[in-house]
Amino acid sequence: TQLLEQSPQFLSIQEGENLTVYCNSSSVFSSLQWYRQEPGEGPVLLVTVVTGGEVKKLKRLTFQFGDARKDSSLHITAAQPGDTGLYLCAGLTTDSWGKFQFGAGTQVVVTP
Amino acid sequence: DVKVTQSSRYLVKRTGEKVFLECVQDMDHENMFWYRQDPGLGLRLIYFSYDVKMKEKGDIPEGYSVSREKKERFSLILESASTNQTSMYLCASRVPYSRGHNEQFFGPGTRLTVL
């Protein structure tokens, strides 16, 4: 099993602050996805990164895939209360079925 | 609007009962997945189905079985529920991996409590 470790597990910040969430593995993934999950709902895809070194921006969110495709980060600039949620990274494994391996998640709380 | 629906949002069962969790998707996706989500452990894959009547074990299949008789429906079965199967169960669907690094669409989840 290709494991993904997320850090930190929990992050509580004030509105307007910046934050970074990390997703690390000793294994190579074909691609990596970031999801956000709100209470009582299933995860919703934010972004997919495919190429080593790739950087993608989604408004105030910046996603980076490591050069070796073993790690990724999510950076939020000027966080807002609407960014509150559980952030999950998911690596596409190298098996033939294209299964995803999920990290344990980072709970982000942004207070006004 | 694409949709994955799950039969129940909350379910309470007793130890030893047979439990059926149903998932339906309206996107004509070939691949469907069942995960369980536990605090600190993230999502763990129980079973997946890459097409009708096809199934593969995930990382934690013990105590579970699945059924996929129609393309849109994927059922998770707990043959004899146990307290350690108390969890949030999430269903997802996706076009086949061969067509790209595609998004999984998730249902809202079923929170199962086994007493």
Side-chain angles (χ1 to χ4, degrees):
Chain A
T1 303
Q2 297 169 261
L3 296 176
L4 272 171
E5 292 187 3
Q6 276 188 248
S7 62
Q9 288 188 343
F10 183 80
L11 205 51
S12 180
I13 60 171
Q14 297 281 334
E15 183 176 1
E17 293 182 340
N18 302 333
L19 68 98
T20 303
V21 177
Y22 299 94
C23 181
N24 295 296
S25 176
S26 58
S27 304
V28 175
F29 290 95
S30 303
S31 65
L32 197 134
Q33 296 183 334
W34 284 92
Y35 291 80
R36 181 168 65 210
Q37 184 179 20
E38 299 188 12
E41 301 296 331
V44 175
L45 181 69
L46 296 173
V47 78
T48 301
V49 285
V50 179
T51 307
E54 183 176 3
V55 177
K56 281 192 174 179
K57 293 193 175 182
L58 187 67
K59 297 183 181 178
R60 294 174 294 99
L61 278 61
T62 302
F63 305 85
Q64 185 161 7
F65 201 14
D67 291 340
R69 291 185 292 134
K70 293 182 180 181
D71 55 85
S72 182
S73 64
L74 156 61
H75 182 79
I76 302 179
T77 303
Q80 298 177 1
D83 296 324
T84 293
L86 179 69
Y87 289 83
L88 295 156
C89 63
L92 182 63
T93 64
T94 52
D95 69 34
S96 57
W97 299 115
K99 293 182 294 185
F100 281 94
Q101 188 69 39
F102 279 81
T106 296
Q107 180 64 50
V108 172
V109 176
V110 183
T111 52
Chain B
D1 196 18
V2 297
K3 214 165 190 179
V4 178
T5 56
Q6 294 183 228
S7 50
S8 304
R9 296 298 294 265
Y10 299 93
L11 212 51
V12 180
K13 295 291 181 181
R14 298 217 172 264
T15 301
E17 281 192 76
K18 190 169 186 175
V19 182
F20 293 87
L21 301 182
E22 302 283 337
C23 175
V24 177
Q25 51 98 0
D26 65 358
M27 294 164 282
D28 202 35
H29 285 164
E30 287 85 350
N31 294 177
M32 295 188 75
F33 305 82
W34 274 107
Y35 294 91
R36 65 177 281 176
Q37 184 175 26
D38 300 289
L41 296 178
L43 276 70
R44 293 180 291 166
L45 182 64
I46 304 171
Y47 266 96
F48 70 100
S49 169
Y50 49 92
D51 211 334
V52 178
K53 297 190 185 293
M54 303 296 187
K55 60 186 179 185
E56 288 287 333
K57 292 179 180 179
D59 297 321
I60 51 165
E62 297 78 18
Y64 304 94
S65 61
V66 290
S67 174
R68 184 116 179 254
E69 296 297 318
K70 293 185 177 182
K71 192 175 187 180
E72 67 271 18
R73 189 179 298 269
F74 191 32
S75 301
L76 180 69
I77 303 152
L78 287 66
E79 295 291 342
S80 178
S82 64
T83 54
N84 63 13
Q85 292 178 310
T86 291
S87 187
M88 170 69 87
Y89 289 87
L90 289 163
C91 174
S93 72
R94 187 194 67 181
V95 297
Y97 166 57
S98 57
R99 296 194 217 154
H101 305 271
N102 288 294
E103 175 178 3
Q104 293 181 86
F105 293 87
F106 284 88
T110 295
R111 185 164 292 283
L112 172 68
T113 301
V114 182
L115 302 175

